[in-house]
Amino acid sequence: MDSPTTETTPPPPTLSGPFVGAIDEGTTSARFIIFRAGTDEIVCFHQIEVESIFQKEGWCEQDPMAIVNTVNECIAGACKKLVAVGGKVEEIVTIGITNQRESTVVWDRNSGQPLVNAIIWLDNRTTSTVEELLETIPNNARNINYLRPLCGLPLSPYFSGVKLRWLRDNVPVVSQAMEKGTAMFGTIDTWLMYNLTGGKDCGVHKTDVTNASRTMLMNIETLQWDANLLKFFGLPKTILPEICSSSEFYGSIAQGVLQGIGITSVLGDQQAALVGQQCLAKGQAKATYGTGCFLLYNTGPSIVHSTHGLLTTVGYQLGRKAVPFYALEGSVSIAGAAFNWLRDNMNLIQNSGQIETMASTVDNSLDVYFVPAFNGLYAPYWNQDARGVICGLSEETTSEHIVRATLEAVCFQVRDILDSMHKDCKIPLAKLMVDGGMTVNNLFLQLQSDLVGIQVLRAKIAETTALGAAMAAYKAVENRYQMEAPLSKSGPREAIKPSISATDRNLRYQKWKMAIDRSLNWETSTLPQGEREAFDGA
C-alpha cells in the first residue's frame, strides 16, 4: 500500500530582474511601483490613499509624517508582492522619486520633525501674501510677471516661495527657526529623501532642478538658488536643499526592506510624465488629466519666456553634466475635480463610471458651456477672482447635457493652453500625448481631438509618471540604457483623430470664450455706477 502524500503549495515561478522601483507620491495617494528595468512593464505595485486636512476654506494641508509612513508602507507592500510573484527584492537595482510639486514642508534641523503641516500646492491661503508682495514691486507696478525673467513664473499662491513667505509671516515657530538657522525646507521629494536616507542622523537634503524650478527661488538660467529672489521673498538661503540633476546618485536608503539601495532620480510629477511619455525632443507635448490637467511642451535646450500666460519651467536634466531641457507649462486647476463636484455637490452622477455613458446619450451639449473656475483660473488667464459659470441653459437642458459640457470644459481649457503654446513657440503641434485617469474615457478623447483639431495619442499604460522616474533612475545606473529609443515593451499608441470641421470647432470655441468672459473677475465685479443707482432705486 502506497504511503499517503502530503499536498504542498508549489513555489512561485522565478521572475528574473533587474527591477527598478518608483515612489509616486501624489496629492491623493502614494504608490510604489516596481518595473522590469528598461521597460514599461509593471511587475507589481502597492498604493495607499493620503488624507488631506482642510482647516479653513481654501486651505489644504497634509501631515508630513503620515506621508513618510505611507510611502514606507507602500514600499514594504510592493516588495512583498514582488516576492509573491517570484521576484527577488535584491534585484531591485535602484529607485526614483516623483512627487506632487510646490507642496511645502518645513522641519527642524536638530529633531528632524516637521514644524507645521505641509501646505499643499492647491492651497490658496497665500492670496493675501501675493497682494502684499505686489505692493513691494518698484514704481507701484503691481506686475505679477515682475520675477518671470529670473524664475520663469508669475507671482501666484501656487508656488513654494510664496507659501514659505506666508509661513514666515504667520507661524512663529517657523520664523524663529529661520532666524536661528534650524529650519529646513523641502518640497515633497526632498522631505521623502531626507527621511529615507536617515533623517536627522544622516539624511541628505537635496532636490532636483524640476522641483526647484517650481519654488520661484531658483534662477531658471543658472539652475541655482538666486540671491535676488531670496531677498524679494525675505527668506534665508540656509533653509534650502542642494539642487541636483534629475538623474544621478542622491543617497542610499538607510533602513527597511530596501536598505542600501540607491535613490538615483527625482522628477516633479508632471516632468516625470513628460519623460515617461518619451516627449524627449523639442516640439513634443503631453497632457496629464487628473484632479487638474497639466500640459508640458518640450522647448529643448532653449528657454522660452511666455508672453501668453504660460509658465517657463525645467523639463528635465538627465545627468549632472547633461544639457537641461526646458518646457512651457499650462495648468488647468479643475479637470477631473469638476466631476467630483457634479457627484458630491449636485448629485448629477453617482460615480465616474457613469460619465461616458451619460454624455454619450446626447449628441451635443445643447449649447451649454461650463467654466469650472471654482477657485479662479490658471493658465493662460491667471485670474484669481474668476468663478464658475454655466451658460446657455434652456428648458431642454438635462443632466446629460451638463455632464457632456463638463467633459468639453476640460477640452476647451486644453485648447486655451495649446493656442498659447503655438503663439509662444510659432510651431503648430501635430499630436498630443495624453495620460491620466480621464483618458480611459473614449468619448472624452474624441471630444479632445475634435475641439483642438489634432491627433490625440493615448499612453499604453496609465502610470507614465512613475515610469518617467523609473526611466531616469535606471539611466543613472545603466549607461547603456538609451531613453530616447522606444521602450522595448511598448506597442504602438492608439491615435484618435478629429471628426468635426474647423468651422464647427471654431464656432464652439468662440462660445467658450464668451463663457470665459463672464467668469473673469466675478469675485470683485460690481455693477457700473449708473446701473447700481438704477437698481438701488428700483
Side-chain angles (χ1 to χ4, degrees):
M1 184 175 178
D2 294 335
S3 59
T5 58
T6 302
E7 290 188 8
T8 59
T9 303
T14 301
L15 184 67
S16 61
F19 307 113
V20 178
I23 295 169
D24 183 357
E25 205 297 306
T27 310
T28 58
S29 69
R31 292 173 285 187
F32 187 67
I33 301 177
I34 300 173
F35 293 89
R36 195 182 290 276
T39 79
D40 61 2
E41 179 185 347
I42 295 176
V43 178
C44 58
F45 71 95
H46 196 76
Q47 179 172 347
I48 301 174
E49 289 190 0
V50 176
E51 182 180 355
S52 291
I53 303 162
F54 303 97
Q55 293 194 34
K56 297 182 181 180
E57 183 180 356
W59 290 31
C60 182
E61 301 176 354
Q62 290 178 357
D63 179 350
M65 292 311 304
I67 293 172
V68 172
N69 294 336
T70 299
V71 166
N72 281 324
E73 287 182 48
C74 288
I75 291 172
C79 288
K80 185 176 180 180
K81 291 176 182 177
L82 176 64
V83 173
V85 297
K88 296 179 180 179
V89 174
E90 298 78 27
E91 292 193 281
I92 298 177
V93 294
T94 189
I95 72 165
I97 297 175
T98 181
N99 57 286
Q100 52 168 307
R101 304 171 304 169
E102 296 98 21
S103 298
T104 298
V105 186
V106 180
W107 65 97
D108 182 78
R109 190 180 303 274
N110 297 319
S111 70
Q113 293 298 304
L115 296 173
V116 67
N117 279 340
I119 301 181
I120 302 308
W121 61 272
L122 49 74
D123 184 293
N124 67 2
R125 75 183 70 183
T126 53
T127 300
S128 59
T129 304
V130 171
E131 289 300 314
E132 292 166 7
L133 290 169
L134 286 171
E135 292 294 335
T136 68
I137 293 173
N139 303 319
N140 295 317
R142 293 183 55 82
N143 179 9
I144 65 168
N145 295 314
Y146 176 66
L147 300 177
R148 266 189 190 266
L150 286 177
C151 65
L153 306 172
L155 264 175
S156 166
Y158 197 29
F159 303 112
S160 309
V162 180
K163 300 180 193 303
L164 275 172
R165 176 59 184 261
W166 186 93
L167 287 168
R168 193 208 76 172
D169 292 346
N170 294 277
V171 182
V173 67
V174 172
S175 60
Q176 291 165 12
M178 286 184 181
E179 289 173 7
K180 291 189 296 183
T182 58
M184 300 177 78
F185 153 73
T187 43
I188 297 298
D189 58 302
T190 301
W191 171 242
L192 287 174
M193 193 185 327
Y194 173 80
N195 283 277
L196 289 170
T197 57
K200 65 182 178 63
D201 297 323
C202 56
V204 300
H205 190 211
K206 298 179 180 179
T207 190
D208 91 302
V209 289
T210 67
N211 280 290
S213 72
R214 312 296 295 184
T215 62
M216 298 198 77
L217 303 176
M218 186 189 80
N219 187 297
I220 197 71
E221 294 186 3
T222 67
L223 305 185
Q224 296 298 319
W225 303 121
D226 188 279
N228 290 319
L229 292 170
L230 287 167
K231 181 179 179 182
F232 179 85
F233 286 101
L235 299 170
K237 190 175 181 179
T238 54
I239 67 173
L240 300 175
E242 176 189 350
I243 300 176
C244 303
S245 78
S246 308
S247 179
E248 63 177 79
F249 179 77
Y250 279 81
S252 297
I253 295 180
Q255 59 185 1
V257 68
L258 293 182
Q259 183 176 3
I261 300 297
I263 300 170
T264 58
S265 81
V266 173
L267 286 156
D269 54 6
Q270 300 310 317
Q271 286 92 335
L274 188 74
V275 173
Q277 285 272 30
Q278 292 189 273
C279 294
L280 301 173
K282 180 178 179 179
Q284 294 181 319
K286 71 87 193 174
T288 299
Y289 303 86
T291 304
C293 177
F294 300 87
L295 285 85
L296 264 72
Y297 181 106
N298 189 329
T299 62
S302 303
I303 298 173
V304 176
H305 287 288
S306 175
T307 57
H308 297 91
L310 303 179
L311 309 178
T312 302
T313 194
V314 179
Y316 50 83
Q317 184 187 19
L318 298 174
R320 186 174 297 183
K321 296 182 180 179
V323 175
F325 271 52
Y326 292 88
L328 284 176
E329 176 171 341
S331 306
V332 174
S333 60
I334 303 295
F339 294 96
N340 296 341
W341 181 78
L342 292 184
R343 180 194 64 200
D344 300 336
N345 295 55
M346 306 303 292
N347 295 317
L348 293 185
I349 61 173
Q350 301 303 313
N351 56 70
S352 60
Q354 293 180 284
I355 296 169
E356 184 170 5
T357 302
M358 288 183 67
S360 297
T361 61
V362 291
D363 294 331
N364 54 61
S365 65
L366 207 64
D367 220 24
V368 173
Y369 291 82
F370 175 23
V371 181
F374 300 141
N375 291 299
L377 287 169
Y378 286 179
Y381 305 102
W382 295 104
N383 190 294
Q384 299 170 25
D385 295 317
R387 288 297 179 267
V389 296
I390 300 178
C391 303
L393 296 175
S394 68
E395 291 181 347
E396 288 75 31
T397 302
T398 66
S399 57
E400 287 78 9
H401 292 116
I402 293 175
V403 170
R404 191 176 181 111
T406 308
L407 286 174
E408 292 183 351
V410 179
C411 301
F412 282 126
Q413 290 179 95
V414 168
R415 172 160 178 181
D416 284 338
I417 292 170
L418 290 179
D419 282 0
S420 293
M421 288 178 172
H422 183 200
K423 292 172 183 174
D424 282 327
C425 296
K426 315 299 182 188
I427 303 172
L429 197 65
K431 57 188 177 183
L432 179 66
M433 312 294 191
V434 298
D435 60 85
M438 289 184 67
T439 61
V440 300
N441 186 321
N442 293 317
L443 174 62
F444 167 67
L445 291 188
Q446 186 60 63
L447 289 171
Q448 184 67 91
S449 180
D450 287 344
L451 295 175
V452 299
I454 59 175
Q455 280 191 36
V456 169
L457 279 71
R458 177 161 39 195
K460 183 189 170 201
I461 66 168
E463 311 300 342
T464 56
T465 300
L467 176 61
M471 290 168 63
Y474 192 50
K475 182 177 177 62
V477 299
E478 178 50 80
N479 292 329
R480 294 172 297 172
Y481 175 47
Q482 298 297 317
M483 294 178 58
E484 294 78 7
L487 291 174
S488 60
K489 297 291 185 181
S490 277
R493 295 172 182 265
E494 178 186 359
I496 297 93
K497 299 179 180 179
S499 63
I500 65 174
S501 69
T503 300
D504 186 13
R505 179 181 308 118
N506 292 331
L507 284 172
R508 291 162 72 177
Y509 187 59
Q510 287 175 17
K511 286 286 188 72
W512 164 257
K513 298 297 276 188
M514 291 168 59
I516 286 286
D517 286 343
R518 285 155 175 77
S519 77
L520 295 175
N521 301 309
W522 185 272
E523 188 73 2
T524 54
S525 293
T526 58
L527 287 170
Q529 183 66 30
E531 294 182 30
R532 188 162 65 248
E533 290 172 352
F535 180 81
D536 291 341

